[in-house]
Amino acid sequence: MTTKPSNSWTDIRDIIHARILNKTYAAGDRLPRDQDLALTLGCARSTVQRAMQDLSDRGLIERRRKAGTRIPENPVTRATLEIPMIRKEVEQKGVTHGYQLISAKMLETPRSVMALLGLPAPITAMHVQALHLADQQPYLFEDRWINTQTVPEATSIDFTRENANEWLLRHKPYNKCDMRFYAINASISEADLLQTSPGTALFVMERSTWIDQNPITTVKTIAAPGYQLKTGS
Amino acid sequence: MTTKPSNSWTDIRDIIHARILNKTYAAGDRLPRDQDLALTLGCARSTVQRAMQDLSDRGLIERRRKAGTRIPENPVTRATLEIPMIRKEVEQKGVTHGYQLISAKMLETPRSVMALLGLPAPITAMHVQALHLADQQPYLFEDRWINTQTVPEATSIDFTRENANEWLLRHKPYNKCDMRFYAINASISEADLLQTSPGTALFVMERSTWIDQNPITTVKTIAAPGYQLKTGS
DNA sequence: TAGTGGTCTAGACCACCGG
DNA sequence: CGGTGGTCTAGACCACTAT
């Protein structure tokens, strides 16, 4: 049975997606070969391929050469996080962004930082601590280490004026990025910085970036109470 | 100057990526047209297109018809989260997964749930609370609402045997998924369930899913202390 | 080794949108 | 309106990997 030709790959994708939703193709099933689907749906094989690529990216199907296309038995929820520059994030809420440098100095990396960046031995790196404000209120505390071997320019930047988050994002593109999220109870000093009470649950994001195996920076951001991270998809 | 032809789109992507890293193309710059790049790099335009698609997906470039391809002034960090079935996640750590149903009953949805699912008026839905265990220890508490109008089968499932996370994931594919992450201080009852003390900072993940505008479920999972969410890229 | 998805090409046309 | 990216096609060949 040949379906009426709908030529765009999004149409093809939606047709197949619909078949997954209505269980024409259920968990564990194998789908027809691209070639056959192309014939059935009245389009070129590469159009089916484009549709499949999208579905595969979203984790709705699994494709393997020779084995064909299958609906996974144990689906994985996949979501894309988009984390903007902190200033942009604040401004998007319609409030003014503020920034205070707390400290910036060269220090030997502690073991925790060595582990995060995969350093075999301690190095002297730049430790930057700063506070981001939203509408004059503490918004996010940033504790960062910058590898000045990979990023020597960092030593000549005036971080009282320019914030490290923004400078690095704009001037130091990276290859690889690891992120971690978790919750902590505010310490006394953290509570003080974020103007809350010790013990308050705070949302932490850690991010480390590399350029071709070379560590650039690792940063731990601690958000003020009430912060939520959201996905758009 | 014509570069030696490297025909695979990943090669092309890597060449352009390298040019971004070494600032041949810096923030704000406009790149040559695909056609010209194809000539210069000795490949077909569609190969350049494929490479650009990948770079665009990762947020490294911005493409607009007529305006061309540009390096964004304000880059966004993009990461993909992969959230497996809870049982798989536990088993991957090499420990045994356990599951206890706490309660499952039909109830009228509170306003918070209506807001999450975008319901204009309260409905009677299935409220399921359960605890996941890792190696006999509390791992994750799951507080879920299932829309039995969209998912009538849910009323006849024995959730003491089958866990809702797994059943829904396997049998109810969805169109749309929203997620939120934040930190809370454990209440007395939460502390009791997760065998920790009240006030402990806990990591919370909320997820709501739809199939074509129709709400399926919304779930709030509260992880035991020490939990970290990580990205793979 | 053979079947299936992945890629490449050359060319055509379409869709968006900046000037 | 015209320039640019987006898509579609038909066909060829490549690269995995199940059998």
Side-chain angles (χ1 to χ4, degrees):
Chain A
M1 179 200 101
T2 322
T3 314
K4 114 179 59 158
S6 352
N7 282 345
S8 95
W9 70 265
T10 50
D11 289 346
I12 303 294
R13 178 200 58 194
D14 292 344
I15 289 172
I16 297 172
H17 194 353
R19 290 186 183 174
I20 296 173
L21 293 180
N22 74 22
K23 307 279 204 78
T24 304
Y25 308 136
D29 288 358
R30 176 171 177 178
L31 276 60
R33 312 154 45 205
D34 289 6
Q35 184 57 259
D36 291 343
L37 278 171
L39 284 174
T40 310
L41 300 172
C43 66
R45 179 163 81 95
S46 49
T47 307
V48 174
Q49 160 78 24
R50 183 68 183 82
M52 291 297 197
Q53 180 196 327
D54 190 60
L55 293 169
S56 178
D57 283 348
R58 304 182 189 209
L60 275 81
I61 58 176
E62 273 174 1
R63 314 195 82 201
R64 285 203 327 257
R65 291 155 142 123
K66 169 79 179 182
T69 304
R70 289 186 170 279
I71 309 292
E73 297 269 7
N74 300 307
V76 170
T77 302
R78 219 167 277 199
T80 302
L81 286 178
E82 295 204 358
I83 300 174
M85 287 189 336
I86 298 168
R87 181 171 62 79
K88 285 286 169 192
E89 179 179 330
V90 171
E91 287 172 358
Q92 182 131 20
K93 296 176 196 278
V95 300
T96 61
H97 172 254
Y99 168 79
Q100 292 173 355
L101 181 67
I102 296 170
S103 80
K105 47 190 166 193
M106 299 299 293
L107 276 181
E108 181 152 292
T109 51
R111 269 175 313 179
S112 60
V113 170
M114 290 166 55
L116 285 170
L117 292 177
L119 295 169
I123 60 172
T124 301
M126 177 166 282
H127 185 213
V128 179
Q129 293 184 311
L131 189 66
H132 292 263
L133 309 171
D135 218 8
Q136 323 292 342
Q137 298 302 308
Y139 181 73
L140 197 131
F141 169 64
E142 173 179 340
D143 184 297
R144 181 186 295 272
W145 290 82
I146 304 173
N147 180 355
T148 47
Q149 291 174 7
T150 314
V151 193
E153 314 93 297
T155 54
S156 53
I157 301 291
D158 177 9
F159 284 122
T160 57
R161 294 187 56 255
E162 186 138 28
N163 84 64
N165 169 261
E166 203 156 330
W167 183 80
L168 281 164
L169 226 40
R170 240 198 279 267
H171 301 297
K172 273 292 152 183
Y174 51 83
N175 261 344
K176 185 189 167 207
C177 177
D178 271 2
M179 303 183 60
R180 286 165 299 289
F181 309 92
Y182 54 94
I184 58 167
N185 289 105
S187 69
I188 293 176
S189 60
E190 287 154 359
D192 190 44
L193 279 166
L194 295 172
Q195 289 180 22
T196 183
S197 13
T200 305
L202 301 175
F203 186 82
V204 179
M205 181 185 88
E206 285 183 10
R207 177 170 23 166
S208 310
T209 57
W210 291 261
I211 180 169
D212 294 335
Q213 325 295 334
N214 301 311
I216 300 177
T217 189
T218 182
V219 60
K220 172 170 163 179
T221 62
I222 308 179
Y227 185 91
Q228 291 198 352
L229 178 67
K230 296 174 190 171
T231 69
S233 177
Chain B
M1 178 198 101
T2 323
T3 313
K4 114 178 57 153
S6 352
N7 281 346
S8 96
W9 70 265
T10 50
D11 288 346
I12 303 294
R13 176 199 59 193
D14 292 344
I15 290 171
I16 296 172
H17 195 351
R19 290 186 183 174
I20 295 173
L21 293 179
N22 74 21
K23 307 278 204 81
T24 304
Y25 308 136
D29 287 0
R30 175 170 177 178
L31 275 62
R33 313 155 41 203
D34 290 5
Q35 184 57 260
D36 292 343
L37 279 170
L39 283 175
T40 311
L41 299 172
C43 67
R45 179 164 80 96
S46 50
T47 306
V48 174
Q49 160 79 23
R50 182 68 182 82
M52 291 296 197
Q53 180 196 325
D54 190 60
L55 293 169
S56 179
D57 282 348
R58 303 180 188 213
L60 275 82
I61 58 176
E62 273 175 359
R63 314 195 79 200
R64 282 199 331 250
R65 291 158 143 123
K66 169 76 181 184
T69 304
R70 290 184 170 281
I71 310 291
E73 298 270 6
N74 300 305
V76 170
T77 302
R78 219 168 276 199
T80 301
L81 286 178
E82 294 204 358
I83 299 173
M85 287 188 338
I86 298 167
R87 181 171 63 79
K88 286 285 169 192
E89 180 179 328
V90 170
E91 286 172 358
Q92 182 130 20
K93 296 176 198 278
V95 301
T96 60
H97 172 255
Y99 168 80
Q100 293 172 352
L101 180 66
I102 296 170
S103 79
K105 47 190 165 190
M106 299 299 292
L107 276 181
E108 181 152 293
T109 50
R111 269 175 313 177
S112 60
V113 170
M114 292 165 54
L116 285 170
L117 292 177
L119 296 169
I123 60 171
T124 301
M126 177 166 282
H127 185 214
V128 179
Q129 293 184 310
L131 189 66
H132 293 263
L133 308 171
D135 217 6
Q136 322 293 341
Q137 297 303 306
Y139 181 73
L140 198 131
F141 169 63
E142 173 180 340
D143 184 297
R144 182 186 294 273
W145 290 83
I146 304 172
N147 181 354
T148 48
Q149 291 174 8
T150 314
V151 193
E153 313 94 298
T155 54
S156 53
I157 301 292
D158 176 10
F159 284 120
T160 56
R161 293 188 55 254
E162 185 137 29
N163 84 64
N165 169 262
E166 203 156 330
W167 184 81
L168 282 163
L169 227 40
R170 240 198 278 269
H171 300 298
K172 273 292 152 183
Y174 50 84
N175 260 346
K176 186 188 164 207
C177 177
D178 271 2
M179 303 182 61
R180 286 165 298 288
F181 309 93
Y182 54 93
I184 59 166
N185 290 104
S187 68
I188 294 175
S189 60
E190 287 155 358
D192 190 45
L193 280 166
L194 296 172
Q195 290 178 22
T196 183
S197 11
T200 304
L202 300 174
F203 186 82
V204 179
M205 180 185 88
E206 284 183 10
R207 177 170 22 165
S208 311
T209 57
W210 291 260
I211 179 169
D212 294 335
Q213 326 295 336
N214 302 312
I216 299 178
T217 188
T218 184
V219 60
K220 173 169 161 179
T221 62
I222 308 179
Y227 184 91
Q228 291 198 352
L229 178 68
K230 295 173 190 171
T231 70
S233 178

